[in-house]
Amino acid sequence: MARGRIRWRGRAPLVVTVVAIATAVGVAVSGAAKPEGGVDFFQSGHWVFNGLLGTVFHIDGASRAIDAQLGLPGADPGSQVVQGETGGYVVGGNRIIEFGKSDLAVEKTLSPPADERPVALEVAGGPYLVYRESGQVVRLGDTMLTLPTGGKLNDPVATSAGDVWLHQKESNSLCELARDADRLNCPDNAPSGHTGGLSVVADQPVFIDTSTDTVHPLGDDGLGEGSALGVDAPPTARFAGTDVAGRIAVLDGQGHRMHLVDTTPAKADPVTVELPAGDYTDVASSGQAVVLLDRAKNAVLTYDRDGKQHKSTPIPPGRPHLAKGEDSRVYVDSADGGHVLVVDNDGSVEPVPVVGNQQRTAPPPVQQQAQPQPTQPQPQQPKPQPQPQRENPAPKPPVQKPPVQNPASPPGAPPGVKATAGNALITVNWGAAAPNGGAVSNYHVAWTSSAGSGEKTVGGGVRSTTLSGLTNNATYVITVTAENSAGRGAGAKSAGVTPSSPKSITISRGTPEAYKDECWLPDCALIRVAAKGFEPGSSVKFVPHANSSYENEGRTMEIDSDGTETFEAFHFGQVGRTVWVTADGIESNRIVWEEG
């Protein structure tokens, strides 16, 4: 297999475009149902089981506050907790306990298919549990689905749409469990005898072949031919489940090094980081940073996409575990669940002690009954007339009046409402509303646009959420309203924001056509250009390039109202040469021109 050359079998080439999107967070404990129109809500925060306290806690990733807890003394020690849209699941070796996130009540107990700690994937349509040693996949939800895969598995990955990809070690099968599907689809196998693993780059699953050090896109048509990785990845290498700002994180734990491989069209040189001595077993991406777990020193190390170390943060002794939340944060749980490190999208780390609400109510003061005074003997004196005797009543205890409490009124408007648009999504942030005598129980996030409107509800401790599945190029106005026992308060609106897809250019061989006496059939053809994410109605100049003496002044095109433009232009016929197209600072994929 030739390195550095990409060939595609019946499918569009992978275009890796890096987009900076605000961290996606969403429903914490409200249990809000999925609205009509196919909008998915990211699940925010992280649940952890503290075995010493026998309690499940929810940590709000944005504020680092513990905003919900549920006593579960019957849960297995060392259990991990995963969450879906409406329920949470305490997963142990002997039982899986399901509880509702809206009412914090135990709903049912399930039996796990194997006594091993599974890999948990919190994605749309899930959550999923992947039991690698026993080769089984579980989808949790209204109905528990268990699928055998026929053998041991490597680390699984998932796309944001909820499609799970698996690599079976023995058969080298590459299989997809699509969202809502009840069976596996295995469109291809990795070459027999080859080793490797999976990752997701720009929401596109890829297979990294460590036998040939190449990266291959995965899709319904199977395994595409790959491009050179540019580093020597050993068979024992592990890969972050998602890219780090366009780079694949390759962990060589035995060699005490990490490689960061660029997959963007710029194709910058790989970065190799020499790691200090340690036992590096887990690697994850928080979006813009790599998270490594060193079990030898019980420390969490974070690096940016260029290999610069942010910091090293200690964690309590034991066997800690990494967990990737659907809000893109990485959470590191201590062995007993009493301590969690929250790693943000930018690599910042903050510890959270998991102690819950330890406030105690003091007993009411005991009121002392006043005792009657003893009667003193009186000297006898002659009395002209008998007088009626009066008893001295015992003094009454003081009457304690209850404190005067003003009735609660609806909360104030949430301050600082800010909406940030991404690709078909909007991230909303706000501050805490004034409670006005009653604790804020919920925040209601509503959106309006020409493409439709809707509303979702999150818990009172939540300060940010992400609305996904929105319409690109439509302008949305977001309104956030707080609610307490007295009702809803006044809403606060954001400025209008417009989701849009990232700019990308994809080229392929177009219609065969000769050009004067400079380009002859059968090798000569037009270049087909497909552009997406550009400003609707704008004029954009597209210029072709090649690693030869080829020159072309390009063509200016007007972008359609949906931000796309597809056309054929630029005659080319230089067999064996590489050609690509640029426009507005964006570079397309590169293809090697083949014989006609």
Side-chain angles (χ1 to χ4, degrees), residues 147-380:
L147 289 175
T149 64
K152 295 182 178 181
L153 301 168
N154 273 326
D155 292 338
V157 297
T159 66
S160 62
D163 300 325
V164 176
W165 282 85
L166 307 164
H167 175 219
Q168 193 190 84
K169 289 184 178 180
E170 298 171 358
S171 66
N172 252 354
S173 297
L174 297 166
C175 302
E176 177 189 19
L177 177 58
R179 177 174 175 174
D180 300 327
D182 58 2
R183 65 188 63 187
L184 293 174
N185 172 40
C186 301
D188 211 339
N189 286 21
S192 178
H194 286 213
T195 56
L198 299 171
S199 186
V200 174
V201 180
D203 219 23
Q204 164 76 55
V206 298
F207 176 73
I208 301 105
D209 189 329
T210 56
S211 298
T212 57
D213 293 329
T214 49
V215 184
H216 306 255
L218 280 170
D220 294 337
D221 294 331
L223 187 68
E225 291 192 16
S227 59
L229 194 62
V231 297
D232 182 15
T236 56
R238 299 190 67 178
F239 311 96
T242 56
D243 65 279
V244 185
R247 291 183 183 264
I248 299 175
V250 182
L251 173 62
D252 178 5
Q254 295 180 358
H256 295 97
R257 65 176 61 91
M258 175 180 63
H259 306 290
L260 295 166
V261 179
D262 190 10
T263 56
T264 66
K267 197 65 178 176
D269 292 337
V271 175
T272 298
V273 179
E274 298 297 334
L275 302 173
D279 180 16
Y280 300 96
T281 56
D282 292 298
V283 58
S285 167
S286 65
Q288 301 293 324
V290 188
V291 183
L292 296 179
L293 183 58
D294 180 3
R295 296 192 189 277
K297 298 185 179 66
N298 272 62
V300 173
L301 286 70
T302 53
Y303 296 82
D304 66 15
R305 72 182 303 270
D306 297 319
K308 181 180 179 181
Q309 185 173 358
H310 285 301
K311 63 189 307 184
S312 176
T313 307
I315 50 179
R319 188 172 179 82
H321 299 279
L322 287 181
K324 178 68 176 289
E326 197 177 351
D327 59 7
S328 294
R329 294 182 176 90
V330 175
Y331 298 88
V332 186
D333 300 345
S334 64
D336 60 5
H339 194 91
V340 174
L341 291 183
V342 182
V343 185
D344 263 327
N345 176 268
D346 60 359
S348 59
V349 183
E350 186 170 341
V352 178
V354 184
V355 295
N357 183 5
Q358 299 296 322
Q359 294 181 353
R360 297 182 179 180
T361 303
V366 178
Q367 296 181 359
Q368 297 292 334
Q369 178 82 26
Q371 299 295 326
Q373 297 295 326
T375 303
Q376 298 294 330
Q378 299 292 328
Q380 293 184 359

Side-chain angles (χ1 to χ4, degrees), residues 355-419:
V355 295
N357 183 5
Q358 299 296 322
Q359 294 181 353
R360 297 182 179 180
T361 303
V366 178
Q367 296 181 359
Q368 297 292 334
Q369 178 82 26
Q371 299 295 326
Q373 297 295 326
T375 303
Q376 298 294 330
Q378 299 292 328
Q380 293 184 359
Q381 294 181 359
K383 297 180 181 180
Q385 294 180 353
Q387 299 291 330
Q389 297 292 325
R390 294 184 179 181
E391 297 181 358
N392 292 325
K396 296 180 179 181
V399 177
Q400 294 187 354
K401 296 182 179 180
V404 177
Q405 295 183 350
N406 295 322
S409 59
V417 174
K418 180 181 179 181

